[in-house]
Amino acid sequence: MNGRSRTILAFDTSSRLGSVIVTANGKVLARAFLRSPRRHAARLLPAIRGVLVASGAQLGDLAGIVVGSGPGSFTGVRVAAATAKGLTEGCGVPIWTYSSLAAAAASEGVWLPAGWSGPAGWRKGHEDRAVEPPEPGSPCYVLFDARADRVYAGCFRVGPASVDVLVPPSATRLGEVLSSAIPEGAIFAGDGAFRHAAAIGRRGWRVVPPPAGLPTAEGLARLFTLMPGPPVDNARAWEPEYLRPWRAGAAGP
């Protein structure tokens, strides 16, 4: 590679479909997908090795690591965090972390692997196309399904040069989302929005079907480009965004 400052490794395993990419100057050099959520822990490091080999990069070429910090699957979020910590400790490179909800909002235009089954009820054939973008400049209210009426939620406006956090990420319930102040012109996306599409539609809001609202490594890389900010100050002490304040006995996934 032509310099450390040009190469980034990004990955997210907060959802059913994990993803890993290597980018240089915003261009994706190699990508891999992890299709089995129960195997994310076993397959993430091999996938990282694979994209590094495919891109022609080595760990020593990396300017940094960009990781999805959750919320989402507890195990998946933990796996991504532990892997990022181990890599930054071993390689001496910084890590940047971004909400997986924000990564989902920033994932429009990302192509997904053929054959991915998607959430229950997802229409076959969608796996062969790109993530459907919302209207340009529209707020994207992302809901991750956390069972029953529980959701992880956040609303973002992703523009060509900036990202606005309109509703910060939280663990909440669908009724609380729909009774709150929803940004004008928002569209809903994510497996939680898909699951509750009828209820959301009755309130007059549009739901964009999957794969919109899926967090991806490419979405993370887009966030890194739009809002680089400082890296994590103390990677060893950093903890991901589990966001699990539901009452005892009503835990999320």
Side-chain angles (χ1 to χ4, degrees):
M1 303 305 295
N2 297 323
R4 274 175 75 88
S5 64
R6 297 162 56 91
T7 310
I8 293 292
L9 169 70
F11 52 89
D12 186 284
T13 56
S14 65
S15 71
R16 294 181 63 212
L17 183 71
S19 54
V20 185
I21 63 169
V22 172
T23 70
N25 290 339
K27 179 182 178 181
V28 177
L29 302 181
R31 62 169 58 86
F33 294 99
L34 293 78
R35 305 190 193 204
S36 176
R38 295 185 179 182
R39 300 294 305 279
H40 283 352
R43 294 180 176 176
L44 179 55
L45 279 175
I48 289 172
R49 286 194 291 268
V51 294
L52 288 171
V53 169
S55 68
Q58 300 180 3
L59 287 173
D61 296 321
L62 297 178
I65 296 165
V66 180
V67 62
S69 63
S73 160
F74 179 81
T75 300
V77 171
R78 183 178 58 191
V79 165
T83 302
K85 287 183 177 185
L87 289 173
T88 192
E89 184 85 9
C91 303
V93 295
I95 61 173
W96 282 264
T97 69
Y98 297 93
S99 166
S100 297
L101 289 163
S107 290
E108 69 271 14
V110 172
W111 283 89
L112 302 180
W116 180 62
S117 61
W122 194 49
R123 296 196 306 275
K124 293 295 183 182
H126 280 199
E127 64 268 29
D128 292 322
R129 65 174 177 79
V131 174
E132 180 179 347
E135 297 297 324
S138 295
C140 185
Y141 214 132
V142 180
L143 303 183
F144 290 168
D145 184 23
R147 301 176 187 166
D149 66 339
R150 298 185 296 272
V151 292
Y152 297 114
C155 188
F156 312 86
R157 180 184 288 110
V158 181
S162 65
V163 178
D164 297 320
V165 180
L166 305 180
V167 179
S170 67
T172 183
R173 296 178 184 273
L174 180 67
E176 294 173 357
V177 171
L178 296 178
S179 63
S180 66
I182 298 173
E184 183 178 357
I187 58 96
F188 281 80
D191 59 359
F194 182 70
R195 176 173 181 169
H196 300 290
I200 295 169
R202 285 194 295 269
R203 296 293 189 96
W205 299 101
R206 176 188 172 207
V207 176
V208 182
L214 178 76
T216 67
E218 288 185 58
L220 288 173
R222 185 169 295 162
L223 293 176
F224 177 75
T225 299
L226 295 175
M227 46 190 300
V232 172
D233 182 56
N234 185 344
R236 183 176 295 182
W238 168 74
E239 291 295 331
E241 301 172 14
Y242 292 117
L243 298 182
R244 294 164 63 92
W246 292 293
R247 293 189 304 274

